[in-house]
Amino acid sequence: MSTRPTSDRRKRNAALLVVVLVLAALFPLRRVVGHLQRPFAEAGTWIAQSTFGFFDPASASSARVAALEAQRAALARDAVELLRLQEENADLRQRLSFVERGGARVVTAAVTGRSVGVHAYAFTIDRGTRDGVGVGMPVVVENGVLAGKVTAVTASTATVSALTDRGLPVAVSLLNGARTIGVAQGLDGTLLAVGYVPKEEMIRVNDLVVTSGLEDAVPSGLLVGVVNAVESRETEPFQRAIVEPLADVRRISSVTVILGRAADAHDPAL
Amino acid sequence: MTIVTPARVVLVFLGGLLAACLETGLVAAVPGPLRFLPFVLAVGVYLTQSRSLPAGPWLIAGFGLFLDGFGLASVPFQTGAYALAAVAAAVSSRELFSNRSLSGLLGCGLLAWATHALVQTAVWFVAGLDDPMQPPWGDYAWWLVWRLALLSLSLAVLYYAVPRRTRLSMQR
């Protein structure tokens, strides 16, 4: 029995392996996959937006629900803006914060893939270190609504963990009378929880939750969500706020990554 | 036995990539429980069981690598979970079920699903041991049930929709 076919096959496979390795070195796989994923992701977003509300038992039409959600987000932004302006009038340091926030460097990105699982915890975008994206940077939608943070990055792509990811704590501040600060963390895949809030601090349903600015890369005032419920037990000294995030990562097709302050890019000391 | 040629390897690699992009890009965005469709697992099980193609297990195992590589898995260690599911599909296809029947296809799919679910649940349980907040087990259980139902449905659709070939033609 001849061994020539087996030998030829081995040579061909070795040659193929070399070709694949060379191609992989020249064209990073993640970049190729990013381009490949993008049309599918856009089609998926279109389907999600077109059929939004179809599976919900609510009596309102999907268009009506979408319009109301957009209106709610706009009102929430207005409320945040109003409160911020009031504080600026009272405190000059708040005005300084506004100047800093207004000059943020950003880069827009397209969503190229979403996590497979019971809830949407992560998605990929078509921007990476080449565009200035780094781990920990906040990702926003709709002009200031926080969607998540970058948790992994390559030269041309990045993975963004959604706020509902249980492993992604975010430093937040509640826009209540006491300006409660705390850490929001994914609760059950759809909601967030701000725990260990002293009972003396009054929290009400519909209080807005924004980023506190206590994290290095995350500026203050980014809208996170709305307080949905407040859990408090007689025997415990703390209460917990259940927060409904305003960004639905399943229905977004493009996002904005906040790279940092504009001053950072031009500061000769950096 | 299917002859492995470089062209087939490249074809399987590209096909697997395309299927993975389809599941993470399109299927994952679809509203309602349809987004739980395990598209790659269904295609992989079908190729393994009904077509006796070695590409099937590679497709399943490769998808786990894809999910971990891109950070798109809600539960870690998908490479291991999908690799074991691929082994379960390959072994059951060879040793347990006939590749001519729908029941054999569904049985192979059930074993692959069960293996993946068991490994994933174990990993999630261990990962959540030091977490004061319990994972959403109720939603997770429903997700598993929906995946099994959609996997069975898609395997049945593939079984009846794709024209079948004889064993002789498959060997050519």
Side-chain angles (χ1 to χ4, degrees):
Chain A
M1 191 175 167
S2 168
T3 57
R4 184 175 292 273
T6 311
S7 173
D8 286 350
R9 201 181 305 155
R10 279 182 186 160
K11 280 180 187 169
R12 273 191 307 190
N13 285 339
L16 177 76
L17 190 65
V18 171
V19 169
V20 168
L21 287 175
V22 169
L23 284 175
L26 290 176
F27 306 103
L29 186 62
R30 277 174 170 268
R31 199 174 177 186
V32 175
V33 171
H35 286 297
L36 206 60
Q37 278 179 310
R38 196 168 168 177
F40 290 119
E42 282 176 358
T45 307
W46 179 80
I47 291 171
Q49 287 171 346
S50 305
T51 58
F52 174 64
F54 182 77
F55 289 92
D56 294 333
S59 55
S61 70
S62 59
R64 176 83 178 134
V65 172
L68 286 170
E69 279 200 342
Q71 194 180 0
R72 182 187 66 171
L75 287 170
R77 280 198 302 273
D78 289 349
V80 171
E81 190 66 15
L82 180 65
L83 284 164
R84 193 176 54 75
L85 287 169
Q86 284 173 344
E87 287 182 355
E88 276 175 9
N89 285 334
D91 191 343
L92 285 174
R93 282 183 299 177
Q94 284 296 104
R95 198 192 310 171
L96 177 63
S97 169
F98 169 75
V99 172
E100 286 174 351
R101 235 163 45 84
R105 287 184 301 124
V106 297
V107 62
T108 55
V111 175
T112 56
R114 295 172 180 85
S115 65
V116 175
V118 60
H119 294 298
Y121 290 117
F123 55 94
T124 49
I125 56 173
D126 63 349
R127 300 284 187 173
T129 51
R130 205 173 290 166
D131 309 290
V133 176
V135 172
M137 288 178 176
V139 176
V140 298
V141 293
E142 293 175 16
N143 192 22
V145 179
L146 186 66
K149 287 194 286 189
V150 176
T151 48
V153 65
T154 67
S156 55
T157 65
T159 302
V160 180
S161 287
L163 290 176
T164 47
D165 188 336
R166 289 153 45 80
L168 187 81
V170 179
V172 296
S173 172
L174 274 67
L175 296 184
N176 54 358
R179 292 294 182 272
T180 303
I181 57 168
V183 175
Q185 207 162 0
L187 185 64
D188 62 350
T190 54
L191 298 171
L192 311 173
V194 182
Y196 301 108
V197 178
K199 278 188 173 174
E200 299 79 48
E201 299 190 2
M202 177 72 81
I203 305 174
R204 288 171 304 179
V205 172
N206 291 332
D207 276 348
L208 291 168
V209 181
V210 297
T211 54
S212 63
L214 294 175
E215 289 176 271
D216 278 344
V218 184
S220 62
L222 296 176
L223 201 53
V224 171
V226 182
V227 173
N228 207 323
V230 182
E231 292 179 352
S232 179
R233 290 180 187 166
E234 291 286 329
T235 53
E236 293 178 1
F238 297 105
Q239 56 186 337
R240 186 166 79 153
I242 307 300
V243 178
E244 182 185 348
L246 284 172
D248 182 357
V249 298
R250 206 171 288 284
R251 289 190 289 131
I252 54 176
S253 57
S254 62
V255 293
T256 303
V257 185
I258 298 177
L259 305 177
R261 291 176 301 165
D264 294 345
H266 307 295
D267 193 342
L270 294 172
Chain B
M1 184 184 163
T2 308
I3 297 168
V4 179
T5 63
R8 281 186 179 167
V9 171
V10 172
L11 203 66
V12 168
F13 181 74
L14 290 177
L17 217 54
L18 201 67
C21 290
L22 198 69
E23 182 162 341
T24 56
L26 185 66
V27 176
V30 171
L34 282 177
R35 70 171 184 271
F36 303 147
L37 170 70
F39 179 74
V40 177
L41 188 64
V43 173
V45 166
Y46 177 78
L47 292 179
T48 308
Q49 172 65 17
S50 282
R51 300 281 159 163
S52 304
L53 290 175
W58 284 110
L59 200 68
I60 297 170
F63 185 57
L65 200 66
F66 179 93
L67 288 178
D68 279 339
F70 282 85
L72 287 178
S74 47
V75 180
F77 195 56
Q78 290 296 310
T79 306
Y82 273 100
L84 287 172
V87 170
V91 170
S92 64
S93 164
R94 192 178 300 170
E95 307 291 341
L96 291 178
F97 301 114
S98 149
N99 72 342
R100 306 287 300 163
S101 65
L102 176 62
S103 57
L105 182 62
L106 293 177
C108 183
L110 177 69
L111 276 179
W113 169 87
T115 308
H116 178 261
L118 272 174
V119 176
Q120 188 172 259
T121 307
V123 168
W124 216 21
F125 180 75
V126 172
L129 280 179
D130 58 346
D131 190 343
M133 285 195 293
Q134 279 297 303
W137 290 112
D139 288 351
Y140 179 69
W142 274 114
W143 177 67
L144 288 177
V145 171
W146 270 111
R147 268 172 73 88
L148 178 62
L150 290 168
L151 175 68
S152 305
L153 189 70
S154 52
L155 286 176
V157 168
L158 282 171
Y159 181 83
Y160 287 113
V162 182
R164 294 184 64 74
R165 293 181 298 177
T166 62
R167 275 179 185 277
L168 192 63
S169 69
M170 284 162 63
Q171 285 167 356
R172 280 179 192 156

